[in-house]
């Protein structure tokens, strides 16, 4: 009896091993056939001492992060090994690129072939909830549809919306000032300063933890931070009352604004657009609305602050740029600018674009292939042939080094020069 059981176990084990080898071989053959059909060539490997797990690369990268030099660290590899290369990092074959054609494929022409990835969703969900910046597929499309009305010309051109916030921001600027977008928006509740300060502190703490864990990738579970959950809970507790109040108002009045419009359309002409009000019209679930609101807060908080901080930093060191901006702005004769005035300020627009080029708000990002696919550049000896991307493979793209490529921007690519636009 025992002999029969042992023989059965041996047979089952042999079958399992054979099946694993078969599926691996079949997957490899299908990948090679797919790559051959699409004219793909081999992608170069950047040298590493540990070719299997890339422990040396991982440790060097962590050291560069601690020293605030990771962007420059990665840029040196692009300069030495080309615009697209591969690293084996902790068991995964990661593709790194700063090639415009590849970024265009990832973010536009082959957008549906790439996702944010489950790892990032799991890392961000405890803080962000679910929204446009950590969702894929239909959920992403739904979030995009909800947010898109914010960017209509009618809303963007209404400069009255920003007047009080810009004035508040300017009043707070002083030597040594650290800029946050919350400084210009009063953090939702200017009448509750202590609560606001706690909200700002918790928001920043939770966001730093999320960023740190995103960098750690699949090893984020090693980052034990007991304060993270508490910070997330307090942020959510602060925002939820605004959502619940709007939902209750919506249910009780059945949208009083629409009723007013049906009675007298002219009475609603001066009604300002409110993102939360519009969300409540489309969603009834407070948790879903919370996710959408937090995603927008995350997107608007550090991005605007980063751009303005970088611009102010540059202007403090470039009196020539400051003088040209002052001359252009002086043409307004002290009047508040309209949307058309701002669009017509060429040098101001050049300076902002150059700031975004030199100091990208999102200097690098990642995407994961959701199917076997192809990127148009990086393969072969010259690096110009298509490359095969396996399903599940991560692509790391870096705009920081892309915006400093001398072959694209000229020999002065590291110089702040608004006139290049």
């Amino acid at each position: 009896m025992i002999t029969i059981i042992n023989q059965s176990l041996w047979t089952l084990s042999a079958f399992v091993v054979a099946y694993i080898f078969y599926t691996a071989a079949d997957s490899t053959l299908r990948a090679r056939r797919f790559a051959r059909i699409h004219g793909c060539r081999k992608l170069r490997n950047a040298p590493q001492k540990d070719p299997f797990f890339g422990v040396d690369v991982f440790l060097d990268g962590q050291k560069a992060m601690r020293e605030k030099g990771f962007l420059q660290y990665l840029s040196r590899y692009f300069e030495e090994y080309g615009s697209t290369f591969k690293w084996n990092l902790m068991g995964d074959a990661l593709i790194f690129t700063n090639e415009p054609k590849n970024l265009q494929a990832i973010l536009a022409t082959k957008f549906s072939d790439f996702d944010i990835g489950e790892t990032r969703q799991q890392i961000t969900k405890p803080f962000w909830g679910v929204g446009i910046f950590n969702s894929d597929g239909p959920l992403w499309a739904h979030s995009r549809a909800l947010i898109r009305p914010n960017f209509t010309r009618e809303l963007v051109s209404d400069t009255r919306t920003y007047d009080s916030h810009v004035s508040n921001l300017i009043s707070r600027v002083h030597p040594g000032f650290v800029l946050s977008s919350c400084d210009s928006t009063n953090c939702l509740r200017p009448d509750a300063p202590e609560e606001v300060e706690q909200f700002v502190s918790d928001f920043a703490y939770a966001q730093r933890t999320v960023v740190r864990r995103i960098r750690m990738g699949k090893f984020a579970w090693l980052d034990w931070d007991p304060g993270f959950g508490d910070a997330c809970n307090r942020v959510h507790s602060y925002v939820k009352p605004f959502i619940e109040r709007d939902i209750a108002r919506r249910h009780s009045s059945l949208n009083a604004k629409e009723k007013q419009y049906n009675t007298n359309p002219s009475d609603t002409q001066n009604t300002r657009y409110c993102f939360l009000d519009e969300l409540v019209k489309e969603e009834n679930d407070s948790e879903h609305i919370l996710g959408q609101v937090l995603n927008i807060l995350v997107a608007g908080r550090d991005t605007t602050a980063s751009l303005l901080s970088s611009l102010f930093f540059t202007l403090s060191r470039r009196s020539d740029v400051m003088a040209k901006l002052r001359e252009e702005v002086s043409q307004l004769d002290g009047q508040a600018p309209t949307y058309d005035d701002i669009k017509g300020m060429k040098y101001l627009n050049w300076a902002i674009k150059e700031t975004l080029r030199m100091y990208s708000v999102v200097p690098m990002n990642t995407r994961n292939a959701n199917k076997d696919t192809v990127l148009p550049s990086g393969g072969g000896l010259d690096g110009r042939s298509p490359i095969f991307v396996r399903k599940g493979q991560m692509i790391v793209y870096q705009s920081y080094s892309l915006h400093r490529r001398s072959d694209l921007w000229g020999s002065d690519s590291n110089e702040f020069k608004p006139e290049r636009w």
Side-chain angles (χ1 to χ4, degrees):
M1 183 68 180
I2 296 177
T3 302
I4 294 175
I5 294 175
N6 288 338
Q7 289 178 342
S8 298
L9 289 174
W10 185 91
T11 302
L12 178 61
S13 299
F15 175 79
V16 170
V17 171
Y19 180 76
I20 292 173
F21 274 100
Y22 168 77
T23 53
D26 181 63
S27 175
T28 300
L29 289 174
R30 284 190 291 106
R32 288 178 178 176
R33 185 163 56 248
F34 183 93
R36 185 172 61 253
I37 291 173
H38 291 86
C40 298
R41 296 291 182 267
K42 186 178 180 180
L43 174 63
R44 76 187 69 186
N45 287 331
Q48 48 190 130
K49 296 177 182 177
D50 177 5
F52 301 104
F53 297 101
V55 173
D56 57 313
V57 172
F58 178 80
L59 294 177
D60 288 345
Q62 292 297 313
K63 181 175 182 292
M65 287 181 188
R66 290 193 300 271
E67 296 174 352
K68 313 298 183 184
F70 182 75
L71 295 176
Q72 294 83 354
Y73 164 77
L74 192 55
S75 294
R76 289 193 292 270
Y77 275 86
F78 283 117
E79 291 173 5
E80 188 166 354
Y81 302 108
S83 61
T84 307
F85 61 86
K86 183 174 68 173
W87 260 339
N88 291 319
L89 192 59
M90 294 301 166
D92 295 325
L94 274 58
I95 296 175
F96 291 79
T97 186
N98 68 359
E99 171 56 46
K101 292 180 181 179
N102 289 341
L103 269 67
Q104 182 183 35
I106 295 168
L107 301 176
T109 57
K110 288 180 172 287
F111 180 80
S112 60
D113 290 1
F114 298 92
D115 289 338
I116 293 294
E118 185 177 350
T119 299
R120 189 189 295 190
Q121 291 172 352
Q122 292 174 347
I123 291 171
T124 58
K125 187 175 180 181
F127 177 35
W128 299 0
V130 177
I132 191 168
F133 294 107
N134 64 348
S135 59
D136 293 310
L139 282 176
W140 176 86
H142 177 62
S143 297
R144 184 175 183 270
L146 291 175
I147 292 170
R148 192 167 187 174
N150 283 275
F151 302 100
T152 61
R153 178 185 170 87
E154 180 182 0
L155 291 176
V156 173
S157 62
D158 185 7
T159 56
R160 297 173 303 164
T161 304
Y162 316 113
D163 284 347
S164 62
H165 303 306
V166 172
S167 297
N168 185 21
L169 170 64
I170 293 174
S171 69
R172 291 169 180 249
V173 174
H174 55 78
F177 174 68
V178 177
L179 179 62
S180 164
S181 293
C182 286
D183 291 309
S184 62
T185 59
N186 294 321
C187 293
L188 309 179
R189 293 269 305 273
D191 58 328
E194 291 184 6
E195 191 177 358
V196 168
E197 290 298 325
Q198 184 65 54
F199 169 75
V200 172
S201 176
D202 289 330
F203 197 101
Y205 183 93
Q207 183 65 0
R208 285 195 301 270
T209 304
V210 165
V211 171
R212 185 174 67 245
R213 291 178 175 179
I214 288 176
R215 289 172 177 171
M216 295 179 69
K218 64 182 181 181
F219 295 99
W221 60 273
L222 293 172
D223 184 66
W224 185 75
D225 187 345
F228 175 65
D230 293 337
C232 291
N233 290 336
R234 286 193 293 268
V235 168
H236 296 174
S237 296
Y238 182 86
V239 177
K240 279 182 178 179
F242 295 95
I243 296 172
E244 292 167 355
R245 183 184 63 195
D246 246 39
I247 291 176
R249 185 168 57 199
R250 166 75 172 167
H251 289 167
S252 62
S253 66
L254 295 177
N255 196 356
K257 292 180 181 179
E258 289 185 7
K259 284 187 174 182
Q260 181 182 5
Y261 182 84
N262 292 333
T263 303
N264 185 1
S266 63
D267 290 343
T268 64
Q269 289 180 355
N270 295 322
T271 300
R272 295 287 184 89
Y273 174 90
C274 176
F275 177 56
L276 182 55
D277 289 344
E278 298 303 315
L279 280 180
V280 170
K281 291 179 184 179
E282 301 293 334
E283 295 268 9
N284 290 317
D285 190 313
S286 61
E287 289 297 322
H288 290 170
I289 297 174
L290 176 65
Q292 302 294 345
V293 170
L294 288 175
N295 270 254
I296 292 301
L297 283 175
V298 168
R301 177 180 179 271
D302 290 337
T303 50
T304 305
S306 172
L307 169 59
L308 293 178
S309 295
S310 298
L311 180 57
F312 293 165
F313 171 83
T314 302
L315 293 179
S316 69
R317 288 156 173 77
R318 291 290 300 274
S319 58
D320 58 324
V321 176
M322 184 69 171
K324 292 177 182 179
L325 284 174
R326 188 184 295 277
E327 180 182 357
E328 187 172 61
V329 172
S330 67
Q331 297 175 12
L332 294 172
D333 293 325
Q335 300 298 313
T338 65
Y339 177 73
D340 289 331
D341 287 333
I342 294 173
K343 285 191 66 178
M345 292 181 176
K346 290 184 178 180
Y347 198 80
L348 174 61
N349 280 277
W350 293 350
I352 291 174
K353 289 178 180 178
E354 185 70 347
T355 303
L356 289 171
R357 182 188 74 84
M358 292 287 293
Y359 308 104
S360 302
V361 172
V362 184
M364 62 183 296
N365 211 333
T366 65
R367 287 293 186 274
N368 292 68
N370 57 35
K371 63 178 74 171
D372 288 349
T373 187
V374 172
L375 289 180
S377 183
L381 295 176
D382 60 1
R384 296 182 179 180
S385 298
I387 58 172
F388 172 70
V389 182
R390 187 185 297 274
K391 179 180 179 181
Q393 192 164 18
M394 178 182 286
I395 315 294
V396 181
Y397 58 93
Q398 194 195 48
S399 57
Y400 176 86
S401 56
L402 166 62
H403 293 170
R404 284 168 165 75
R405 283 177 53 174
S406 58
D407 59 321
L408 299 177
W409 300 96
S411 58
D412 59 354
S413 58
N414 286 311
E415 177 186 345
F416 186 90
K417 186 178 179 182
E419 289 80 5
R420 76 174 71 250
W421 295 96

